[in-house]
Amino acid sequence: MGAGQISYDVAHLIGATVLMAGLQLLYQRRLFAVINTFAFQALALAAAAGWQAHVQDAPHLYVTAGIALVFKAMIVPFALHWLIEKLGIHRSVETAMSIGWTMMAGVALVALSILLVLPVTANAAALTRESLALAMSVVLIGLLMMITRRNAVTQVVGFMALENGLILAAVSAKGMPLVVEISVAFSVLVAMTLFGIFFFRIRERFDTLDINDVETYRGDRQ
């Protein structure tokens, strides 16, 4: 087995790990389990960026790996744990559809991503094509999580999982400038700050972070 084949297999293994962590997010029923799974996904994303830095001989991707490791795998999960403890948020995950149907929808989105991406990228390298298919699957699963979860915290995690897919796509494509990666990391920090303020305001006003309860309250007011 040549070095090129090993690089190909390792990149696939890490990308598939990011995807499987996304599917695992859909399965979790407790908030802390959701956050811990997201931290694991971010850790796998950091490994993907580090491996691509090695394969592409692109030192700036090591910065991306470091940002994903420090901010997304450590700081963001710690901040979400702190918010849950601070606000006394209900720990179970409220879903708009059953876990089983959600998982089936997630698998269908993975199949859709493969069917859409592979024909469009027919002229690209095999590793790039399949990595982009994995990345698009992660993006769609993050979007599905935002749609099917009623708790504001899990919707935030869905948003950040979606963004993990975008980063995975970016590091898989050669030539992405470092400024793009830094701007993405900065946008995540800004989003986390805004979401934190948003959580406090919702909790202060409605004594809950369940979106369904907030909508019920709004309907009662009307």
Side-chain angles (χ1 to χ4, degrees), residues 12-208:
H12 265 257
L13 176 62
I14 300 174
T17 301
V18 176
L19 173 59
M20 293 305 296
L23 290 171
Q24 186 70 11
L25 283 172
L26 298 177
Y27 178 77
Q28 299 299 336
R29 301 170 185 268
R30 306 288 292 178
L31 276 180
F32 283 155
V34 169
I35 295 170
N36 292 340
T37 302
F38 170 77
F40 174 75
Q41 185 186 53
L43 183 63
L45 177 67
W51 185 252
Q52 289 292 342
H54 168 70
V55 171
Q56 299 179 25
D57 192 22
H60 69 278
L61 289 182
Y62 288 116
V63 177
T64 303
I67 290 172
L69 177 64
V70 174
F71 289 101
K72 306 201 75 174
M74 299 171 69
I75 294 178
V76 169
F78 175 81
L80 289 176
H81 273 278
W82 180 82
L83 278 172
I84 291 172
E85 294 285 356
K86 181 73 173 178
L87 300 179
I89 299 170
H90 186 56
R91 307 293 175 82
S92 62
V93 174
E94 299 289 337
T95 60
M97 56 192 294
S98 69
I99 297 295
W101 281 109
T102 305
M103 292 294 294
M104 290 177 64
V107 172
L109 288 176
V110 173
L112 177 64
S113 299
I114 294 171
L115 291 174
L116 290 177
V117 172
L118 294 187
V120 172
T121 57
N123 294 327
L127 178 58
T128 301
R129 296 174 63 210
E130 293 164 18
S131 295
L132 289 177
L134 289 172
M136 184 174 179
S137 299
V138 175
V139 168
L140 293 180
I141 287 173
L143 182 60
L144 177 65
M145 186 174 180
M146 294 177 66
I147 294 171
T148 60
R149 297 297 181 266
R150 291 176 176 170
N151 185 283
V153 175
T154 50
Q155 291 182 346
V156 169
V157 173
F159 166 78
M160 291 188 294
L162 181 155
E163 195 257 347
N164 281 350
L166 296 177
I167 293 179
L168 181 62
V171 300
S172 300
K174 294 182 179 180
M176 185 183 72
L178 179 61
V179 66
V180 175
E181 300 156 31
I182 294 176
S183 65
V184 168
F186 179 74
S187 69
V188 171
L189 291 179
V190 171
M192 275 300 301
T193 303
L194 293 177
F195 279 130
I197 296 171
F198 183 58
F199 288 163
F200 276 109
R201 294 297 296 169
I202 292 179
R203 182 70 179 180
E204 206 174 69
R205 183 70 179 85
F206 301 105
D207 197 33
T208 182

